[in-house]
Amino acid sequence: YDTSLDSAATCGFGFFKVETEYAGDDTFDQELRIRRKRNALSILIDPMPQEADASDMKYAFEIEEMPVDEYKKKHPDASIETLADDSTSWYGDNVRVVRYWEVREEPRKVYLLTNGSTVSEEDFQLAETMGQSLKAMVKEERNIPKREVWHAKCSGREYLEEPKKWLGKYIPILVVWGNELDIEGKVQHSGIIRPAKDPQRLYNYSRSAFAERVAL
């Protein structure tokens, strides 16, 4: 929390993340953990979220750089030759690896019955196939998309692992904003340093001019 708040005050935004890890070395039970993101510039998120915590983001990128030898050790089956031919900044002294997060939504209906119970579209169709029609009991219906979150690690050329489904329905990257200003639909985020840059430049200039006059 302190790291994300410090980043928000410095550059206008900070991040922390929710992860899962095994509860011990001799169990398969998992627990949730909150991890800090030391470098706020290593996270890129959907620029269009409206919620204060950006929980409605549709995609996000976690950028990591590692030495070439470590990359080869962790991903021995990855094609390093095609990556080395890339003219972008994905390959050099370090190799850039990105974890890509994506929200996938599928249309789904939920039915409210006259007895007050709620039935999902899957259960509604299952009842129809079993000859137990619920159409006469439908009082109201809603379109609620089925939301799933998928993630995968990739290089600039290929997937380094098969895409996996996250257990929750939100991307587990949480945002802490600094100053937020909406100007004609364009949102700008800033910390406490940006408005102080011009006064600092003026102060630096005046001190430099003073030192120059004394030296002369």
Side-chain angles (χ1 to χ4, degrees):
Y1 296 135
D2 291 342
T3 302
S4 58
L5 182 60
D6 181 74
S7 297
T10 303
C11 60
F13 53 87
F15 302 93
F16 60 95
K17 187 182 175 185
V18 178
E19 295 181 346
T20 59
E21 69 175 23
Y22 290 107
D25 296 336
D26 54 353
T27 180
F28 288 92
D29 296 334
Q30 296 189 42
E31 297 177 342
L32 292 175
R33 289 286 185 268
I34 295 178
R35 304 293 189 192
R36 72 169 184 160
K37 301 301 294 187
R38 184 174 60 185
N39 182 8
L41 300 180
S42 66
I43 303 290
L44 299 175
I45 68 169
D46 178 3
M48 301 302 293
Q50 301 297 318
E51 298 295 334
D53 58 355
S55 58
D56 55 336
M57 72 176 83
K58 300 297 184 182
Y59 59 87
F61 300 88
E62 290 183 85
I63 303 172
E64 176 188 4
E65 292 193 0
M66 63 181 66
V68 177
D69 293 339
E70 183 180 351
Y71 176 81
K72 292 180 179 179
K73 184 178 180 179
K74 286 187 174 181
H75 309 286
D77 298 330
S79 177
I80 195 70
E81 290 79 11
T82 57
L83 188 62
D85 293 337
D86 198 348
S87 60
T88 64
S89 59
W90 285 85
Y91 182 87
D93 295 335
N94 294 325
V95 179
R96 178 174 296 177
V97 176
V98 170
R99 180 165 297 280
Y100 173 59
W101 294 86
E102 177 190 15
V103 175
R104 302 178 185 178
E105 293 185 347
E106 297 181 0
R108 182 186 61 170
K109 290 184 178 180
V110 176
Y111 300 92
L112 175 64
L113 304 183
T114 53
N115 59 6
S117 60
T118 303
V119 179
S120 65
E121 187 173 10
E122 294 82 1
D123 293 338
F124 186 86
Q125 294 176 354
L126 179 62
E128 292 290 329
T129 57
M130 297 179 62
Q132 301 175 356
S133 180
L134 300 176
K135 291 182 179 180
M137 300 178 61
V138 175
K139 181 180 179 181
E140 189 177 353
E141 65 180 52
R142 291 178 59 194
N143 292 316
I144 304 177
K146 182 180 180 181
R147 184 185 177 100
E148 295 180 346
V149 176
W150 291 77
H151 63 99
K153 182 181 289 188
C154 56
S155 67
R157 290 289 186 180
E158 59 187 331
Y159 283 109
L160 301 176
E161 62 181 31
E162 291 296 324
K164 303 176 184 177
K165 183 179 177 182
W166 172 248
L167 297 177
K169 64 177 183 178
Y170 299 103
I171 296 176
I173 296 176
L174 294 96
V175 188
V176 179
W177 297 120
N179 297 322
E180 186 176 41
L181 185 61
D182 189 329
I183 303 177
E184 296 181 353
K186 185 178 181 180
V187 180
Q188 297 180 358
H189 295 97
S190 64
I192 61 176
I193 296 176
R194 184 180 299 180
K197 289 173 66 176
D198 287 337
Q200 185 65 44
R201 290 191 183 105
L202 181 60
Y203 175 79
N204 294 342
Y205 171 78
S206 63
R207 298 302 296 174
S208 299
F210 171 79
E212 183 180 4
R213 287 196 298 270
V214 171
L216 294 175

